[in-house]
């Protein structure tokens, strides 16, 4: 089920097509948030609602994204990665059209929940396909490249989304997503090979429970999973509240928010690209630890000035740049180590469970900052700093415990 299947890779010049298709499929899912974020501050007035209710279109989308992955992991084992990804993309298309036709904030929330459900499939399938077709070294390098290219999507997305909102209205962003989903569905079906070995028992409750149960007892899995959960939680805290802070509090024009966000994403790409270049020279565990330290420093740089009464665009940008670089290190290496900690027989369960918990962390961060939001930057930087600190400290503590257990087993 999780074995290395290099024989399914296309020859020479066609090898780049599979990563391109995987990146494109993930890009559509990511754009469902990044095209939409510049519209958020304006939707309370347009839909006769309030900011806290509109923020539910973000946080509940993330929650659905999270829970759905627990289903998508076993389902990918049952029907195959390609079929699941193609079906999700075409469903995503129809749901996006439904979002564009939403007549109220409640209808939009319902559509965004369904977007999250179908949009979460690439986050499960991509790492499974990569680990099925590529070796460990190739997987780390590919994930770093994947992170760099995917990093362009949230850099460009808010810029495009801001102009689409100004020129065509918020509904046009969802029509654009529907068109892109159809295009990627075609390429997935034509190019992506069938990976994995269909298991007729994959959807049986006992098998699903057994797979997740074994992971619950895996300390190495939790070391990286908790780190990824907290990094994702801090990221979605920013995505939920960042537009309100930057546009409403700091006075940046809606169509210019994407440039601020682009600074963060460029820093993320630098971190991710750095991991790809250093992976063969430096131990990958050290790269993860470096990312943790950088992320924790960013939390301090964001929190301390705001606590001192300084809410400045350039200070905020500096802290977010450091944050982006730190999470670039973590996102490039964390998923690969999660797959290794799980082992071949548990990769689908590990991908689904870790992805689900990551997005649950994102939903938690979004909901928490939404409840705390008071029109200032303080709730955002407080939640980000707290979640980051917890995740990084847990990573180091669990690493210490894992090493002690392994040493004890070797000497016994």
């Amino acid at each position: 089920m999780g074995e290395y299947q290099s024989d399914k890779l296309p020859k020479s010049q066609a090898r780049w097509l599979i990563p391109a298709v995987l990146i494109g499929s993930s890009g559509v899912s990511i754009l469902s948030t990044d095209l939409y974020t510049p519209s958020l501050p304006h939707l309370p007035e347009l839909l006769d609602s309030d900011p806290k209710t509109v923020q539910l279109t973000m946080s509940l989308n993330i929650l659905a994204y999270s829970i759905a992955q627990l289903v998508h992991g076993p389902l990918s084992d049952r029907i195959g990665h390609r079929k699941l990804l193609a079906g999700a993309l075409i469903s995503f298309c129809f749901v996006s059209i439904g979002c564009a036709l939403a007549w109220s904030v409640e209808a939009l929330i319902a559509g965004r929940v369904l977007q999250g459900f179908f949009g979460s499939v690439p986050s499960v399938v991509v790492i499974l396909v990569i680990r099925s077709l590529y070796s460990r070294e190739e997987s780390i390098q590919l994930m770093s490249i994947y992170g760099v290219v995917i990093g362009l999507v949230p850099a460009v997305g808010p810029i495009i989304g801001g102009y689409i909102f100004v020129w065509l209205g918020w509904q046009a962003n969802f029509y654009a997503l529907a068109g892109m989903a159809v295009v990627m569905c075609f390429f997935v079906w034509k190019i992506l090979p069938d990976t994995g070995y269909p298991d007729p028992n994959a959807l049986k409750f006992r098998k699903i429970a057994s797979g997740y149960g074994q992971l619950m007892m895996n300390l190495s899995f939790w070391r990286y999973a908790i780190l990824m959960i907290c990094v994702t939680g801090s990221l979605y805290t920013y995505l939920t509240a960042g537009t309100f802070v930057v546009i409403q509090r700091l006075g940046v024009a809606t169509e210019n928010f994407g440039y601020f966000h682009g600074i963060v994403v460029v820093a993320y790409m630098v971190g991710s690209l750095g991991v790809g270049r250093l992976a063969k020279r430096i131990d990958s565990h050290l790269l993860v630890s470096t990312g943790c330290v950088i992320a924790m420093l960013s939390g301090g740089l964001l929190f301390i000035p705001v606590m001192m009464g300084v809410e400045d665009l350039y200070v905020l940008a500096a802290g977010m740049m450091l944050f982006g670089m730190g999470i670039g290190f973590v996102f490039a290496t964390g998923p690969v180590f999660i797959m290794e900690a799980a082992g071949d027989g548990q990769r689908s369960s590990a991908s689904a469970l870790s992805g689900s918990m990551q997005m649950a962390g994102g939903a938690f961060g979004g909901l928490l900052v939404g409840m705390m939001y008071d029109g200032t930057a303080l709730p955002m930087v407080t939640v980000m700093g707290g979640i980051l600190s917890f995740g990084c400290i847990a990573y180091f503590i669990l690493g210490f415990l894992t090493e002690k257990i392994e040493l004890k087993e070797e000497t016994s």
Side-chain angles (χ1 to χ4, degrees):
M1 180 170 60
E3 295 175 3
Y4 178 38
Q5 304 169 48
S6 60
D7 58 300
K8 293 190 177 182
L9 277 169
K11 302 300 181 183
S12 59
Q13 70 270 21
R15 288 173 64 93
W16 65 270
L17 290 174
I18 293 175
V21 169
L22 295 174
I23 289 169
S25 300
S26 295
V28 173
S29 175
I30 295 170
L31 277 174
S32 68
T33 292
D34 291 304
L35 281 182
Y36 174 67
T37 48
S39 304
L40 274 175
H42 305 278
L43 290 181
E45 180 181 355
L46 294 172
L47 295 176
D48 191 24
S49 184
D50 59 85
K52 289 188 177 181
T53 303
V54 167
Q55 284 177 342
L56 290 176
T57 64
M58 289 288 289
S59 55
L60 293 184
N61 169 273
I62 299 167
L63 185 61
Y65 194 107
S66 166
I67 295 172
Q69 292 181 66
L70 296 175
V71 178
H72 298 327
L75 189 58
S76 71
D77 282 341
R78 180 66 183 88
I79 68 174
H81 304 149
R82 185 178 69 156
K83 289 180 181 178
L84 179 60
L85 185 55
L89 284 167
I90 201 66
S91 300
F92 183 90
C93 166
F94 289 116
V95 169
S96 297
I97 293 172
C99 288
L101 298 175
W103 59 90
S104 67
V105 68
E106 291 81 11
L108 182 58
I109 288 171
R112 288 283 291 164
V113 167
L114 290 174
Q115 264 198 331
F117 182 88
F118 294 113
S120 66
V121 169
S123 65
V124 174
V125 170
V126 165
I127 186 63
L128 291 175
V129 173
I130 288 174
R131 289 301 288 132
S132 293
L133 298 177
Y134 300 90
S135 67
R136 178 192 179 189
E137 292 75 18
E138 290 173 325
S139 294
I140 291 176
Q141 289 187 322
L142 186 55
M143 286 301 295
S144 68
I145 297 170
Y146 176 84
V148 169
V149 178
I150 284 296
L152 289 171
V153 176
V156 176
I159 298 174
I160 298 174
Y163 282 109
I164 289 178
F165 170 79
V166 171
W167 294 339
L168 301 173
W170 65 271
Q171 298 94 334
N173 283 312
F174 290 108
Y175 287 123
L177 286 169
M180 288 184 281
V182 171
V183 172
M184 290 315 306
C185 180
F186 170 80
F187 285 117
V188 164
W189 196 254
K190 296 292 290 186
I191 294 173
L192 204 65
D194 285 317
T195 52
Y197 300 98
D199 181 0
N201 299 316
L203 296 180
K204 291 185 176 180
F205 176 78
R206 179 176 294 181
K207 186 173 181 63
I208 294 173
S210 174
Y212 289 139
Q214 291 179 42
L215 289 173
M216 291 293 183
M217 305 299 293
N218 188 329
L219 197 62
S220 295
F221 168 81
W222 280 110
R223 180 188 186 191
Y224 297 99
I226 290 175
L227 177 61
M228 296 292 288
I229 291 166
C230 292
V231 168
T232 305
S234 61
L235 174 61
Y236 276 85
T237 298
Y238 159 69
L239 291 175
T240 300
T243 51
F244 290 89
V245 171
V246 174
I247 294 174
Q248 293 186 342
R249 182 70 172 177
L250 301 179
V252 174
T254 300
E255 60 269 29
N256 292 332
F257 170 76
Y259 297 107
F260 174 88
H261 189 60
I263 293 172
V264 182
V265 176
V266 168
Y268 165 78
M269 293 167 60
V270 169
S272 187
L273 185 61
V275 168
R277 290 184 175 274
L278 295 173
K280 289 188 175 181
R281 307 175 194 174
I282 300 176
D283 180 71
S284 298
H285 293 94
L286 180 58
L287 294 176
V288 183
S289 299
T290 301
C292 286
V293 172
I294 295 173
M296 289 182 69
L297 289 173
S298 75
L301 184 57
L302 289 168
F303 178 75
I304 293 173
V306 176
M307 275 297 294
M308 295 175 64
V310 178
E311 293 185 71
D312 180 80
L313 181 65
Y314 296 103
V315 174
L316 183 65
M320 290 305 304
M321 284 178 64
L322 203 60
F323 170 76
M325 183 176 296
I327 67 172
F329 274 72
V330 174
F331 279 131
T333 51
V336 176
F337 282 115
I338 286 175
M339 293 296 102
E340 287 197 358
D344 285 342
Q346 299 295 326
R347 283 181 180 169
S348 294
S349 296
S351 177
L353 183 59
S354 63
S356 177
M357 292 189 299
Q358 284 174 48
M359 299 315 297
F364 172 77
L367 286 169
L368 185 58
V369 77
M371 290 188 294
M372 293 174 59
Y373 186 67
D374 60 0
T376 72
L378 184 59
M380 183 183 79
V381 298
T382 300
V383 175
M384 287 181 67
I387 294 175
L388 276 174
S389 298
F390 177 83
C392 293
I393 292 171
Y395 167 80
F396 288 115
I397 292 175
L398 290 176
F400 173 76
L401 293 176
T402 302
E403 289 178 3
K404 286 200 71 174
I405 292 171
E406 290 176 351
L407 182 62
K408 185 176 180 180
E409 289 177 348
E410 289 177 0
T411 56
S412 61

